[in-house]
């Protein structure tokens, strides 16, 4: 029996880029859908850090919404949080311009 796949070992900014690339092509995706493709390890932590402007490489604009998903054999629906990329981080001005 093969060992379960482990998340890729990379930095949070690299994970954020992967998530942003996915959300650009698939807006209104759920955490489960994002994590299945982006292999982040903890998608909720990546999404919460992506919007923070105080972290290096972050400052993404992400809209949150809801989607109704059928459950209990289609007799009920539940609401699941969705995420849509609004913008990527803006380039910061060079504060130490030597010219």
């Amino acid at each position: 029996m093969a060992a379960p796949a482990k998340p890729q070992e990379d930095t949070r900014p690299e994970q954020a880029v992967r998530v942003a690339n996915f959300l650009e092509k698939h807006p209104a995706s759920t955490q489960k859908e994002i994590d299945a493709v982006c292999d982040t390890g903890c998608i909720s932590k990546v999404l919460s850090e992506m919007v923070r402007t105080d972290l290096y490489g972050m400052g993404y604009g992400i809209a949150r919404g809801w989607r109704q998903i059928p459950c209990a054999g289609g007799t009920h629906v539940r609401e699941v949080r969705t995420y849509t990329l609004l913008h990527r981080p803006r380039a910061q001005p060079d504060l130490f311009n030597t010219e």
Side-chain angles (χ1 to χ4, degrees):
M1 183 170 162
K6 292 184 179 178
Q8 295 179 21
E9 293 188 20
D10 51 8
T11 65
R12 190 73 77 210
E14 291 170 336
Q15 292 172 347
V17 168
R18 241 185 357 262
V19 170
N21 291 341
F22 177 78
L23 288 176
E24 209 167 49
K25 294 176 183 157
H26 306 279
S29 294
T30 66
Q31 285 188 8
K32 187 174 182 179
E33 294 165 342
I34 299 165
D35 196 36
V37 175
C38 296
D39 187 28
T40 60
C42 185
I43 189 59
S44 59
K45 188 172 239 181
V46 174
L47 287 166
S48 67
E49 289 185 2
M50 284 178 72
V51 297
R52 293 182 53 184
T53 55
D54 62 321
L55 296 176
Y56 173 77
M58 301 297 179
Y60 291 84
I62 297 180
R64 290 168 174 78
W66 295 99
R67 181 192 315 161
Q68 291 189 338
I69 304 285
C71 61
T75 59
H76 292 80
V77 293
R78 64 185 176 96
E79 296 215 337
V80 179
R81 176 68 78 186
T82 61
Y83 301 86
T84 300
L85 180 70
L86 299 176
H87 64 80
R88 292 179 182 265
R90 294 179 185 88
Q92 296 294 319
D94 186 6
L95 298 177
F96 302 102
N97 191 353
T98 57
E99 293 178 29

